[in-house]
Amino acid sequence: QLQLVESGGGLVQPGGSLRVSCVGAGRTLGTYSIGWFRQAPGKERERVSCISGVDGTIRYADSVEGRFTISRDNFKNTVYLQMNSLKPEDAGVYYCAVDPRANCSNQNPNEYHYWGQGTQVTVSS
């Protein structure tokens, strides 16, 4: 059984950077497509990025394009989300999950699996 564990969240000032991590336990992440989602209070969970385990395709939400970078380290069984130039509207709980379609074309969180517990990102001065 695959388990995903997120970490790296915290408090950062606007304009600052954070890197959140998604570590896989129980199975190798290398062939899975992994999506990063965030959820702010009172808002729906939205996908901010995804990296395909099949062909390396990477996708970003328009709101984070050019500021966030997703990557993976198969030796560490980890997927990262580097977040730069953070804005208050980037705040929320960040989750990683597996895209069963494996090509990152799917943005519906209800169709993702193996959700981690999330890591809180707060952007405030």
Side-chain angles (χ1 to χ4, degrees):
Q1 178 80 7
L2 175 64
Q3 290 184 312
L4 300 178
V5 179
E6 302 94 337
S7 64
L11 172 64
V12 63
Q13 292 185 344
S17 297
L18 275 178
R19 187 179 75 166
V20 290
S21 302
C22 172
V23 179
R27 290 184 186 175
T28 301
L29 285 186
T31 58
Y32 287 96
S33 294
I34 303 296
W36 275 103
F37 291 78
R38 68 185 178 196
Q39 187 166 21
K43 294 188 176 181
E44 294 185 352
R45 193 170 295 191
E46 63 169 339
R47 196 185 75 176
V48 296
S49 187
C50 184
I51 184 167
S52 170
V54 176
D55 60 8
T57 296
I58 288 175
R59 300 182 189 271
Y60 297 103
D62 290 344
S63 59
V64 306
E65 181 80 50
R67 299 188 297 120
F68 289 14
T69 303
I70 191 170
S71 62
R72 67 196 313 156
D73 184 335
N74 290 335
F75 289 105
K76 295 183 178 180
N77 215 33
T78 301
V79 175
Y80 301 101
L81 186 67
Q82 176 68 43
M83 304 183 291
N84 298 328
S85 302
L86 282 160
K87 304 175 182 180
E89 53 264 42
D90 293 318
V93 180
Y94 280 70
Y95 302 90
C96 59
V98 172
D99 176 4
R101 298 188 188 182
N103 61 3
C104 288
S105 62
N106 178 22
Q107 298 189 54
N108 184 351
N110 294 324
E111 299 189 20
Y112 279 69
H113 302 315
Y114 303 113
W115 292 89
Q117 84 291 344
T119 185
Q120 177 72 49
V121 172
T122 303
V123 184
S124 175
S125 55

